[in-house]
Amino acid sequence: MSKNSLINKGMESLATESARPRRVPRAADATTDPALPQQAQPAEASDAAPGPAPTLVPAPFETSALDGMDQAKQVETLEAAYWDADRAEVASFQLAKMQGSVLKGDLLRLLLDRQAHEHHGMTVGDYAESLGIKRQYVYDLIRAAEDIRVLAPLIEETSTPIVAAQAAVLAPLYKTDPEAATLVLQAAKDTGKLSAASLTDAARDLGLLPRAEVRPAPKPAPARPVDAGRLAFADAYRTLAPKRVEKLVQEDADAVLSQAEAIEAEIIKVQRRVDAAKKAARKVIAAEA
């Protein structure tokens, strides 16, 4: 083959090579990590042009929305926006708390099933401490994950995140009667504050839980007036506190003087018995020596 033929052959090979795709297309599940739960999988990369990056700090309230409003309407609009932000904050916290409880509870159950604590040569309590939690909280999280998963259809249907304490109230009701549990949830939400307490109250109002026993509040003991004519001997040091004596003197100085002298007489008697007890003890000690 001539030199020119070799050059032409090489040029054809380069042209063919340059026409080939530069990378092998990835499989549809190439970004899936089988070791991670579905919720923790990385987001798929998009071939489209990237849009503006999402921000963690929200944009300020657009004050131009207030243009043309009088002061009362502006205040009403701003207050409505405030309560919208408050509800969004609560919902966001509830959602994060619920998802965290479920994922951690599921993983803790799997770790205990596989004796993770024994693998590290620890008790369950020590293993919990190594995770930065208490032993009981391990089981609380496992139970919370189970309760929330029971309520998953209700949570999805109502778009209402349910945290552990709330799930502990709703899950038993939902297992027995899903429709009744839905009514309880809606009644609690209607109070304006979804909580374990409001769910319990709603369930009681609907006759699904027994009423709590209401015990009458104990009657407060009547305040005893200061008795200037009586100073107790039981705790003379505290009774004769300067501020107390100053107050008593203003009410009845003669009574205070009389009682102080009585205390003094009692102290003299006590001192005599103290001296006698010390003398008897020293006598026995000397005899034994």
Side-chain angles (χ1 to χ4, degrees), residues 158-226:
T158 61
S159 299
T160 305
I162 302 294
V163 296
Q166 299 162 7
V169 178
L170 269 182
L173 298 174
Y174 190 83
K175 290 177 184 177
T176 303
D177 189 342
E179 185 175 347
T182 303
L183 294 175
V184 169
L185 176 59
Q186 187 57 52
K189 291 172 67 176
D190 288 344
T191 65
K193 182 174 178 59
L194 178 60
S195 65
S198 65
L199 287 167
T200 301
D201 289 342
R204 285 172 176 161
D205 291 341
L206 293 170
L208 300 173
L209 288 177
R211 289 281 180 186
E213 181 181 356
V214 179
R215 298 181 180 179
K219 295 180 179 180
R224 293 186 299 176
V226 176

Side-chain angles (χ1 to χ4, degrees), residues 261 263-275:
E261 289 173 347
I263 290 176
E264 183 179 25
E266 189 71 16
I267 290 173
I268 291 172
K269 293 177 184 178
V270 171
Q271 186 61 54
R272 288 173 183 168
R273 291 194 174 184
V274 169
D275 292 341

Side-chain angles (χ1 to χ4, degrees), residues 61-69:
F61 180 83
E62 186 55 64
T63 54
S64 62
L66 304 175
D67 293 346
M69 298 180 183

Side-chain angles (χ1 to χ4, degrees), residues 4 6 8-9 19 29 37 46 52 60 62 106 113 137-138 140 151 154 160 163 196 206 209 245 251 258 261 275:
N4 289 337
L6 287 173
N8 291 334
K9 190 70 172 177
D29 61 350
S46 173
E62 186 55 64
D106 286 347
D113 287 347
Y137 192 49
V138 171
D140 290 344
L151 294 169
L154 178 59
T160 305
V163 296
L206 293 170
L209 288 177
V245 170
E251 296 178 0
S258 174
E261 289 173 347
D275 292 341

Side-chain angles (χ1 to χ4, degrees), residues 36-65:
L36 294 176
Q38 182 63 36
Q39 297 89 334
Q41 294 294 339
E44 294 183 5
S46 173
D47 292 333
T55 59
L56 296 178
V57 179
F61 180 83
E62 186 55 64
T63 54
S64 62

